[in-house]
Amino acid sequence: MNLSYRLFYVWKRNLISYKRFIIPTLLVSLGEPGFYLVALGLGLGSYMGLFGGVSYLHFLSAGIVITAVMIASTFEALYGSFVRMIHEKLYDALIVTPISAEDAVAGDVLWATTRGLLSGFLMLIVAVLLGVAPSSFAMLLTLILLMMVVGFLFSSLAMIVTAFAPNFDFFSYYSELVITPLFFFSGVFFPLDKMPEIVKIIALFSPLTHAVILSRGIFGAGLPSTAYLNFLALIIPAIIAFYFVLYFMKRRIIK
């Protein structure tokens, strides 16, 4: 693994490029998750009772903030990285400099993680404006750490898909068959304890489920006693996915 500090130059390059489109992309980041938060949290929530002792808006906000991180980091690592690799030939240009292929890929993963963090912060601001916030400053710091881990994990997973993608259409399989089920069956919109046992077991294999459990504790009465297991369920797949994305992307870049 030929990683070095130069990966930050790749991240910095993407940041400079992103500044040209920051307004429209931030508006897009606020789009779908924001609509869920306002329409369902305020609208539908006004007709519903308490969920675990909190309002539905409170219950939903904890999941939507983390989901925003997942969606933004995933789509940046899919479409953004594919454009840079195939259409802009950025990787080809980078690897003829002292920047290695691993640096280029890791810098891109770091950038997709940053995009996820930005979206998560935007959604957190919306939640705070609606009256929902982490229970303490320590919990806010924990939420930031959680968003970093979630962004890194889903950036790495998505870029593995990018490593094998022949075209943009290929991403539909991943977004529709993986990301969408995770979105709806990881406890974001409703508690999983009333679901059939098989659904609850399958949901435990979703990293988003563990992220939502942690986020719900951060926005509620505190982290559960199994928080370290939830964090491990995110960190271990993230490390494994990062290793594989370096391998598969390098193999595609250097043919």
Side-chain angles (χ1 to χ4, degrees):
M1 189 180 296
N2 187 20
L3 277 176
S4 73
Y5 68 92
R6 296 185 179 91
L7 65 91
F8 289 103
Y9 294 129
V10 181
W11 176 85
K12 184 178 179 181
R13 178 265 168 205
N14 290 342
L15 175 63
I16 293 172
S17 175
Y18 175 70
K19 287 179 179 176
R20 294 181 298 164
F21 310 103
I22 188 168
I23 299 300
T25 51
L26 286 180
L27 290 175
V28 170
S29 297
L30 273 171
E32 186 174 344
F35 288 134
Y36 280 119
L37 198 58
V38 175
L40 296 181
L42 286 180
L44 187 60
S46 63
Y47 292 93
M48 303 172 73
L50 297 179
F51 277 66
V54 298
S55 68
Y56 186 60
L57 175 63
H58 195 288
F59 177 88
L60 185 63
S61 297
I64 288 295
V65 169
I66 291 302
T67 302
V69 178
M70 178 190 74
I71 292 175
S73 57
T74 293
F75 281 83
E76 179 64 28
L78 291 177
Y79 294 94
S81 296
F82 189 80
V83 168
R84 287 188 285 275
M85 179 173 62
I86 301 298
H87 296 277
E88 296 179 351
K89 305 294 183 186
L90 178 63
Y91 287 107
D92 295 341
L94 289 173
I95 62 176
V96 297
T97 70
I99 294 174
S100 67
E102 288 92 337
D103 288 335
V105 175
D108 233 14
V109 170
L110 187 61
W111 170 244
T113 304
T114 305
R115 285 293 310 277
L117 275 174
L118 289 173
S119 292
F121 275 118
L122 282 174
M123 222 37 58
L124 177 60
I125 291 171
V126 174
V128 170
L129 291 176
L130 294 175
V132 181
S135 54
S136 66
F137 182 70
M139 287 293 104
L140 174 61
L141 296 180
T142 306
L143 177 64
I144 294 172
L145 174 63
L146 175 62
M147 289 195 294
M148 291 172 64
V149 174
V150 170
F152 185 72
L153 169 60
F154 282 97
S155 298
S156 300
L157 291 174
M159 205 169 289
I160 291 175
V161 179
T162 304
F164 294 95
N167 49 53
F168 284 119
D169 295 334
F170 187 78
F171 296 138
S172 299
Y173 298 113
Y174 183 66
S175 60
E176 298 298 329
L177 299 178
V178 178
I179 295 301
T180 300
L182 291 185
F183 186 38
F184 285 106
F185 294 100
S186 296
V188 175
F189 294 99
F190 47 83
L192 295 172
D193 55 354
K194 299 294 176 63
M195 298 296 288
E197 198 62 30
I198 184 66
V199 176
K200 288 191 282 188
I201 293 173
I202 293 173
L204 288 177
F205 288 94
S206 162
L208 186 62
T209 299
H210 298 278
V212 170
I213 291 172
L214 291 169
S215 180
R216 202 145 280 146
I218 289 168
F219 280 86
L223 294 174
S225 59
T226 58
Y228 71 97
L229 292 176
N230 299 122
F231 266 113
L232 285 177
L234 296 168
I235 293 172
I236 292 175
I239 294 172
I240 295 173
F242 183 65
Y243 174 81
F244 278 111
V245 77
L246 291 180
Y247 173 77
F248 288 125
M249 283 292 284
K250 181 179 180 181
R251 192 179 66 172
R252 175 156 186 176
I253 295 168
I254 305 175
K255 292 182 179 178

